């Protein structure tokens, strides 16, 4: 009985939170419609004060003059009120945030490794047992990762070089490569960049990444910088949300956002299974994005930021502990993934779309969703949770390429088609899990395929440790067909998509190259 009461109380609390959140979201929409409501109200009030028409035109004119003299003060007050309301709204209305352009880093051919080469290298370079090698082989066969993903030079040598110097070299190659290309594409000048945000979850050097960027590009002394670490694969959307807020208070400026992860210091060399999965998924990569709040940039920008929604489930111990960096029993550092990861991700996604839904979905879908919640929570009806059809509101979906299991589950739960999932699946296949930057490779894929049309809306969804689910919605300001040579997909976009079987066996043969020595590496690659 006590358990039943606790369950009922939890249900009521959840219902209350859902209703409060829906009310808040609709209140936000009402606020943005305030000028229209106010204008209509004032017009109606003014109409009530105007005298009715007279049968005589002369009498009507005299009556109008009398009315004007009698109500001159009221009319002036009404005009002043309208002007004050308009000024207050204009001052409080958020500044538009434009995405001018983006750049995804593509390492050079010297960094590519087939799956078979990866497994052979793990066996030679690590201290893995036969069981651990077999487990990683099985995981890689099912991961959806292709034959040309990228590793830093430090991990393609024997022995592996997991030093701070090698880690810096990897990060500098990625960050500088992406930013160099972005500045060349946009023509942005260093002195016009007022905000710099860099996110790298597992590597946070001193001086920081933002200081590295300021030093490299000679940015001005009053530039606002933020360095984000420890926030997992969803940190890219967090960086966008932070940039959005900063661009509200720093007028007429650019915000440079760089998303990356460092692989050199985060390869796992032990035999604890929950930590071995990351070896088969995470790869070298990064991206840079230029945002602007300058109205003049609307003409050349690709997208306008419409919404950001951040969900943090860290108050739950189960959510907090499902992705953790820790040491195993032998002192090897790695990232441990809990078996409950998929369940936790599903809970975070449901919370996130409950907030996002009222902002983007048509009213019919909102009512269906709310009705299902009321039936299940209030009336205890045995009905399935209603998942809104986001395809009615959004044309493109960029879902973090964290792994095949995550993509399969979101395709099923959101009712998406293979076409909608193609950018995420091809990113996982070609580049692997590049952490927070994967969303930008996916958007670059849509651009290279010529899929983005003016007015289209793009939903970016990312998951990260903590546990977090974050969303960003963008609206295309123009048709984007970007298959130029600096697009990371330019060299192979015509050959994609390819079919990726659920299980792709790895065959080791004599054609697999042996691990390279350091001096054989041809450099850190070039930007694309």
């Amino acid at each position: 009985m006590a358990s039943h009461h606790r369950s009922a109380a939890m249900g009521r609390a959840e219902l209350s939170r859902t209703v409060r959140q829906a009310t808040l979201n609709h209140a936000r929409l009402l606020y943005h419609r305030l000028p229209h409501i106010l204008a209509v109200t004032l017009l109606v009030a003014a109409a009530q004060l105007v005298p009715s028409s007279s049968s005589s035109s002369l009498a009507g004119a005299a009556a109008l003059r009398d009315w004007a003299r009698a109500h001159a003060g009221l009319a002036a007050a009404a005009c002043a009120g309208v002007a004050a309301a308009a000024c207050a709204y204009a001052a409080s209305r958020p500044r538009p945030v434009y995405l001018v352009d983006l750049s995804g880093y593509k390492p050079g051919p010297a960094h590519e490794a087939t799956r078979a080469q990866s497994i052979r290298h793990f066996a030679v370079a690590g201290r893995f047992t036969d069981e651990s090698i077999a487990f990683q082989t099985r995981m890689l066969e099912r991961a959806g990762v292709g034959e040309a993903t990228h590793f830093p030079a430090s991990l393609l040598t024997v022995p592996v070089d997991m030093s701070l110097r090698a880690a810096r070299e990897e990060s500098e190659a990625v960050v500088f490569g992406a930013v160099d290309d972005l500045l060349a594409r946009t023509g942005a000048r260093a002195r016009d960049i007022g905000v710099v945000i860099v996110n790298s979850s597992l590597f946070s050097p001193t001086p920081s990444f933002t200081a590295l960027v300021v030093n490299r590009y000679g940015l001005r002394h009053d530039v606002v910088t933020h360095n984000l670490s420890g926030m997992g694969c969803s940190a890219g959307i967090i960086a966008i949300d932070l940039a959005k807020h900063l661009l509200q208070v720093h007028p007429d400026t650019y915000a440079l956002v760089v998303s990356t992860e460092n692989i050199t210091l985060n390869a796992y060399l032990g035999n604890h299974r929950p930590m071995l999965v990351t070896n088969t998924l995470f790869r070298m990569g990064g991206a840079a994005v230029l945002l602007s709040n300058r109205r003049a940039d609307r003409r050349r920008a690709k997208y306008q930021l419409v919404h950001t929604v951040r969900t943090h489930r860290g108050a739950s111990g189960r959510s907090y502990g499902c992705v953790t960096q820790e040491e195993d029993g032998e002192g090897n550092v790695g990232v441990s993934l809990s078996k409950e990861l998929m369940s936790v991700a599903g809970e975070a996604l449901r919370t996130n779309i409950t907030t996002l839904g009222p902002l983007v979905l048509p009213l019919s879908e909102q009512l269906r969703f709310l009705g299902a919640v009321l039936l299940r929570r209030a009336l205890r009806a045995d009905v399935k949770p209603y998942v809104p059809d986001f395809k009615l509101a959004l044309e493109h979906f960029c879902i973090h390429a964290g792994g095949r299991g995550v993509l399969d589950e979101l395709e099923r739960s959101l009712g998406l088609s293979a076409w909608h999932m193609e950018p995420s699946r091809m990113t996982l296949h070609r580049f692997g899990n590049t952490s927070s930057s994967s969303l930008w490779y996916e958007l670059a894929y849509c651009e290279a395929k010529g899929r983005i049309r003016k007015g289209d809306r793009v939903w970016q969804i990312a998951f990260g440790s903590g546990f977090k689910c974050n969303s960003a919605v963008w609206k295309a300001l123009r048709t984007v067909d970007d298959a130029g040579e600096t697009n990371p997909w330019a060299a192979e976009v015509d050959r994609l998509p390819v079919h990726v079987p659920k299980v792709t066996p790895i065959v080791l043969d004599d054609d697999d190259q042996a691990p390279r020595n350091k001096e054989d590496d041809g450099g850190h690659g070039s930007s694309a």
Side-chain angles (χ1 to χ4, degrees):
M1 183 63 70
S3 175
H4 174 74
H5 287 312
R6 284 195 299 270
S7 177
M10 292 174 62
R12 288 192 296 269
E14 180 66 25
L15 174 61
S16 177
R17 284 194 295 270
T18 301
V19 172
R20 284 199 305 270
Q21 188 61 61
T23 302
L24 177 60
N25 292 335
H26 283 90
R28 290 171 179 163
L29 295 177
L30 185 63
Y31 166 75
H32 289 296
R33 294 170 183 165
L34 178 61
H36 306 285
I37 297 172
L38 182 60
V40 171
T41 302
L42 289 171
L43 286 174
V44 171
Q48 297 300 317
L49 295 174
V50 175
S52 59
S53 61
S54 172
S55 58
S56 169
S57 59
L58 292 176
L64 184 58
R65 287 195 298 270
D66 292 340
W67 178 88
R69 285 194 293 269
H71 297 88
L74 180 60
C79 291
V82 172
C87 291
Y89 175 75
S92 62
R93 188 178 184 182
R95 301 175 188 272
V97 174
Y98 306 114
L99 191 158
V100 180
D101 213 333
L102 60 101
S103 175
Y105 176 76
K106 185 177 181 180
H111 293 270
E112 292 182 1
T114 67
R115 296 176 306 139
Q117 290 168 353
S118 302
I119 291 299
R120 290 190 61 181
H121 192 73
F122 291 163
V124 174
R127 297 182 290 275
F128 303 113
T129 63
D130 291 342
E131 291 78 9
S132 292
I133 291 295
F135 175 75
Q136 291 178 89
T137 301
R138 291 195 301 273
M139 292 299 299
L140 195 51
E141 289 176 337
R142 293 160 174 79
V145 175
E147 302 290 357
T149 56
H150 304 99
F151 289 89
S154 55
L155 298 184
L156 292 176
T157 61
V158 177
V160 293
D161 182 6
M162 296 175 63
S163 66
L164 182 61
R165 174 195 51 77
R168 286 181 181 275
E169 290 176 354
E170 177 197 346
S171 290
E172 289 177 2
V174 174
V175 172
F176 294 160
V179 175
D180 284 350
D181 179 60
L182 180 67
L183 296 181
R185 290 168 67 98
T186 61
R189 299 172 298 183
R191 65 175 178 271
D192 294 330
I193 297 176
V195 175
V196 176
I197 303 172
V198 182
N199 67 270
S200 174
S201 187
L202 295 176
F203 181 46
S204 183
T206 300
S208 67
F209 278 122
T210 52
L212 181 70
V213 171
V214 171
N215 178 262
R216 163 84 174 199
Y217 298 99
L219 303 187
R220 65 194 202 213
H221 68 89
D222 62 342
V223 64
V224 177
T225 63
H226 290 272
N227 199 87
L228 307 181
S229 64
M231 305 190 79
C233 300
S234 68
I237 299 298
I238 296 174
I240 293 295
D241 183 67
L242 175 59
K244 177 186 74 173
H245 285 86
L246 290 172
L247 287 174
Q248 301 309 307
V249 295
H250 296 279
D252 197 34
T253 193
Y254 289 120
L256 173 63
V257 177
V258 182
S259 295
T260 187
E261 190 54 272
N262 188 277
I263 308 302
T264 293
L265 293 180
N266 297 289
Y268 175 63
L269 301 180
N271 293 285
H272 186 49
R273 279 199 175 185
M275 297 181 177
L276 287 170
V277 178
T278 56
N279 285 349
T280 65
L281 289 173
F282 284 90
R283 298 295 185 266
M284 181 183 185
V289 177
L290 188 69
L291 304 177
S292 172
N293 59 11
R294 298 178 171 189
R295 294 192 180 275
D297 282 323
R298 179 184 176 87
R299 293 192 300 271
R300 69 179 184 125
K302 290 182 174 180
Y303 310 94
Q304 181 173 344
L305 183 60
V306 182
H307 302 292
T308 54
V309 175
R310 293 170 56 178
T311 298
H312 203 309
R313 303 276 299 185
S316 163
R318 189 169 75 100
S319 297
Y320 174 79
C322 70
V323 181
T324 57
Q325 185 182 32
E326 56 190 46
E327 292 178 331
D328 65 13
E330 299 178 351
N332 297 301
V333 177
V335 175
S336 178
L337 305 180
S338 166
K339 293 181 179 179
E340 297 183 312
L341 177 59
M342 294 299 296
S343 174
V344 166
E347 294 170 357
L349 176 64
R350 282 193 293 273
T351 304
N352 191 268
I353 65 176
T354 299
T355 306
L356 180 67
L359 300 175
V360 299
L361 289 170
L363 183 60
S364 59
E365 288 297 295
Q366 296 183 48
L367 292 176
R368 289 191 181 99
F369 176 75
L370 185 58
V373 171
L374 291 172
L375 288 173
R376 295 179 66 244
R377 299 295 187 182
L379 303 179
R380 299 290 177 181
D382 186 18
V383 296
K384 293 182 178 179
Y386 181 73
V387 179
D389 187 358
F390 281 91
K391 299 189 298 296
L392 297 176
L394 304 157
E395 287 73 31
H396 307 281
F397 296 78
C398 296
I399 301 170
H400 168 52
R404 181 163 198 152
V406 174
L407 298 182
D408 288 346
E409 179 59 27
L410 264 72
E411 179 179 5
R412 182 195 64 79
S413 61
L414 293 177
L416 302 179
S417 67
W419 186 87
H420 291 114
M421 298 299 299
E422 185 181 311
S424 298
R425 293 196 185 280
M426 290 302 98
T427 295
L428 181 63
H429 175 76
R430 178 61 186 87
F431 292 97
N433 182 343
T434 60
S435 189
S436 58
S437 64
S438 68
L439 299 176
W440 303 112
Y441 287 103
E442 292 162 15
L443 186 53
Y445 180 88
C446 294
E447 294 181 353
K449 282 290 187 179
R451 293 183 174 183
I452 305 295
R453 295 289 179 264
K454 182 178 180 179
D456 283 0
R457 284 169 293 181
V458 182
W459 184 13
Q460 294 180 315
I461 318 169
F463 300 89
S465 57
F467 190 84
K468 299 178 284 293
C469 175
N470 299 319
S471 293
V473 177
W474 305 86
K475 182 178 180 180
L477 298 176
R478 56 183 173 87
T479 296
V480 180
D481 187 358
D482 183 6
E485 61 180 13
T486 61
N487 187 298
W489 299 92
E492 51 213 328
V493 67
D494 293 334
R495 301 195 299 269
L496 299 172
V498 296
H499 174 63
V500 182
K502 291 188 178 297
V503 179
T504 308
I506 298 175
V507 179
L508 297 174
D509 54 43
D510 294 337
D511 292 333
D512 297 322
Q513 297 179 9
R516 295 189 287 270
N517 293 320
K518 287 186 190 179
E519 56 268 22
D520 295 331
D521 179 65
H524 291 283
S526 58
S527 66

